[in-house]
Amino acid sequence: MDDRIARIQGKLAMLPGTEKAVLGPVLTEAQISAFEDSHGVRLPEEFRQFLTRIGHGGYGPTYGLLPMERWAGQVGMGQLAKPFPIVPDLDVPTGPDDRGELTGSFPGTITIVYRGCSDFTLLVVTGSGRGRLVEVNDEGFFAPRFHADSDFLSWYERWLDFVLTGHRDLTWFADQMAGNEVQLVATLLDDELATRRRAAAYTFITHPGPSIDLPGTLVQALTAETHPAVRETILRALAAQGEHGRDLLTTALADPVPSVRSLAAILMTTRTPQAWRLPTQRREALSQHLANETDDSVREAIQRTLNLT
């Protein structure tokens, strides 16, 4: 763990001054133990190491890391010793959270980041996901979803790497994962967990300096992918690769799932300062597919796309 701490300290020092990368002072063992004793838990070791050796509160994703006095004051207050009930990585959560017992209350967690509105990043301190970060909405607008990182230090170092390497948009951070293009492609094509394959696909939406081969590789992954939510994310990654990537979205018009076909149609347009743009090749592909499409929701999405341009 010493090497990980040293890497994070080094990367913090490399950040440009515009990042205003300021962390609060480290916490003492006595301060951490007092918090743990008052809540009947022991914090995950990686988080403890960060607090005692790097800093406490301050620079981090969105609005930054919360200080200790706010860990238990946002969601799940007073229930830290009760296990967080969700097992990580079993499936890709989609849509709103229909588990009313979790809305506004997430036992076994502390609040690490307030992301705005009713969105929070939590650290699981009790339960099968102990040590992992999980994204939640306390009004149930989406189901809790775990970050791909194995622990707090991995999560924080990934944030620093994304800033330092110039990811194009850090608002996707919660759904992404660490890795270079080769590593991400291997995960997307071969990992047995749909949650990790989706995280790899999300990362390609903002990954800096993609190779010229990436769009073709994404189509390969799209063709082989069995989970509709992962296929939808691959479509978003394709669209992020520019006009060539959007040209390849026509492949998904043959997808068996209507929501995937609809998303492909919607993503085929390009917004310019003057107007929405739909090149002739894509317009013709959509028009031809519209003549044979039987699902009303897909037909509506295609028609909206054609009318938009």
Side-chain angles (χ1 to χ4, degrees):
M1 195 174 298
D2 288 347
D3 290 345
R4 301 173 71 189
I5 295 294
R7 281 202 313 269
I8 290 173
Q9 291 171 330
K11 290 174 182 179
L12 280 167
M14 292 169 59
L15 291 168
T18 53
E19 282 298 306
K20 299 180 181 178
V22 178
L23 288 165
V26 297
L27 296 178
T28 65
E29 182 66 33
Q31 288 173 306
I32 296 173
S33 295
F35 176 88
E36 293 173 331
D37 292 345
S38 68
H39 292 282
V41 297
R42 181 175 173 84
L43 298 177
E45 190 59 32
E46 293 82 6
F47 186 50
R48 288 176 119 264
Q49 290 291 319
F50 183 90
L51 297 172
T52 59
R53 302 175 64 181
I54 296 179
H56 163 240
Y59 182 71
T62 317
Y63 299 118
L65 305 178
L66 293 176
M68 179 188 284
E69 58 267 25
R70 296 184 64 187
W71 292 348
Q74 297 287 341
V75 290
M77 185 174 182
Q79 304 180 77
L80 275 61
K82 181 180 178 181
F84 185 62
I86 301 176
V87 178
D89 305 327
L90 285 183
D91 197 11
V92 176
T94 58
D97 186 12
D98 59 2
R99 287 163 293 191
E101 74 278 7
L102 281 184
T103 302
S105 177
F106 302 92
T109 67
I110 61 173
T111 308
I112 296 297
V113 173
Y114 170 58
R115 297 190 64 215
C117 297
S118 52
D119 295 348
F120 300 86
T121 303
L122 311 180
L123 175 67
V124 180
V125 298
T126 310
S128 61
R130 174 176 161 81
R132 294 278 297 273
L133 284 298
V134 61
E135 206 68 17
V136 304
N137 177 278
D138 72 353
E139 297 182 62
F141 291 148
F142 59 80
R145 60 186 189 271
F146 280 87
H147 292 232
D149 316 280
S150 60
D151 55 54
F152 182 87
L153 290 179
S154 298
W155 174 82
Y156 193 78
E157 186 171 6
R158 177 167 68 89
W159 168 255
L160 298 178
D161 288 339
F162 276 28
V163 174
L164 288 168
T165 58
H167 269 255
R168 290 169 285 174
D169 184 352
L170 294 172
T171 60
W172 297 91
F173 176 76
D175 293 298
Q176 298 175 315
M177 69 187 306
N180 58 34
E181 183 172 319
V182 172
Q183 294 166 328
L184 293 169
V185 165
T187 299
L188 183 59
L189 294 177
D190 301 324
D191 201 286
E192 63 181 15
L193 294 176
T195 52
R196 288 181 55 80
R197 299 196 303 275
R198 188 182 71 156
Y202 261 120
T203 310
F204 282 128
I205 295 174
T206 65
H207 204 275
S211 72
I212 59 173
D213 297 326
L214 181 58
T217 302
L218 291 173
V219 171
Q220 177 189 349
L222 179 68
T223 304
E225 180 55 56
T226 59
H227 200 298
V230 181
R231 295 203 298 277
E232 290 183 5
T233 308
I234 294 172
L235 294 183
R236 297 184 186 280
L238 266 173
Q241 307 311 310
E243 294 305 302
H244 178 47
R246 286 191 172 89
D247 287 340
L248 296 174
L249 291 170
T250 55
T251 303
L253 292 175
D255 196 278
V257 177
S259 64
V260 178
R261 300 198 299 275
S262 294
L263 181 61
I266 293 167
L267 292 175
M268 285 184 194
T269 58
T270 304
R271 188 170 188 174
T272 68
Q274 293 75 32
W276 290 94
R277 176 176 176 270
L278 183 65
T280 302
Q281 175 189 349
R282 284 176 238 158
R283 177 177 289 277
E284 291 178 351
L286 286 174
S287 297
Q288 291 173 5
H289 185 78
L290 182 62
N292 299 307
E293 177 59 60
T294 58
D295 187 277
D296 288 342
S297 64
V298 182
R299 291 180 59 83
E300 181 181 352
I302 292 174
Q303 196 62 65
R304 285 202 313 267
T305 300
L306 292 172
N307 293 342
L308 189 63
T309 54

